[in-house]
Amino acid sequence: MLLPALLTVGPPARSLTSGTTDLPNANSPIWASGLNEDEDEDEDEDEEEHTLNVFKRMAAGALMMTVPVTAAVAQSAIIEGVVDKINESSANITLKHGPAPSLGFKEAVTMVYEVSDRAMLKQLKVGDKVKFEAEGGDEGFMVTKIEKSGK
């Protein structure tokens, strides 16, 4: 009967003192650190406090980074386009527009959008240049605000 070969993952374990693949012995500095239990507890508390402080600083940094990002998203949320088709009965509008980073579009597209309020469609006609805001969701994209741009 043939036995499968044993596989090892990664480099062999090394002792911090000898540089060999042998495990450290009881006289090794790893095991004989000279610390008593109280010092071990103090060291654990210091390490825990240090870790907590690192997380606090990371959270504060992440919070500070969201302020400029939120402002950038708000500035790029307005999309310019042209009305291609209006369907008041199904409360949707087809808009041709350029890139829309706020919706994840890097290229120009022509898309059908639902509208949050059918009354928005009454002020528009095919060919109107518009500025609009839209949101993406599980059901698709919805125009939340739209107005003629006058260009």
Side-chain angles (χ1 to χ4, degrees):
M1 170 188 220
L2 295 173
L3 296 175
L6 295 176
L7 297 175
T8 59
V9 178
R14 294 188 178 267
S15 166
L16 294 178
T17 58
S18 66
T20 66
T21 58
D22 299 329
L23 291 174
N25 62 34
N27 295 325
S28 165
I30 294 171
W31 300 108
S33 65
L35 296 177
N36 63 32
E37 286 183 27
D38 291 336
E39 289 173 338
D40 284 342
E41 288 176 18
D42 290 342
E43 189 175 286
D44 289 344
E45 289 174 13
D46 289 344
E47 185 175 332
E48 191 174 303
E49 184 176 342
H50 173 73
T51 303
L52 183 59
N53 286 335
V54 168
F55 282 124
K56 285 180 183 178
R57 282 180 269 173
M58 288 172 57
L63 181 61
M64 294 301 292
M65 290 175 60
T66 59
V67 173
V69 170
T70 302
V73 169
Q75 291 172 355
S76 66
I78 296 175
I79 305 162
E80 294 185 14
V82 176
V83 176
D84 196 48
K85 186 176 180 181
I86 297 172
N87 189 337
E88 287 186 49
S89 63
S90 61
N92 64 40
I93 186 169
T94 303
L95 297 167
K96 182 177 183 176
H97 59 82
S102 62
L103 300 176
F105 300 119
K106 295 179 182 180
E107 307 274 332
V109 295
T110 300
M111 281 193 50
V112 176
Y113 291 89
E114 300 294 321
V115 292
S116 59
D117 181 9
R118 289 175 195 247
M120 291 190 285
L121 299 176
K122 294 188 184 291
Q123 65 176 343
L124 303 170
K125 65 182 188 306
V126 174
D128 282 347
K129 293 182 179 184
V130 294
K131 289 183 180 180
F132 68 98
E133 294 180 19
E135 298 174 350
D138 293 339
E139 301 296 317
F141 296 97
M142 179 174 290
V143 173
T144 56
K145 184 178 178 182
I146 191 167
E147 61 184 38
K148 291 181 185 180
S149 66
K151 287 185 178 179

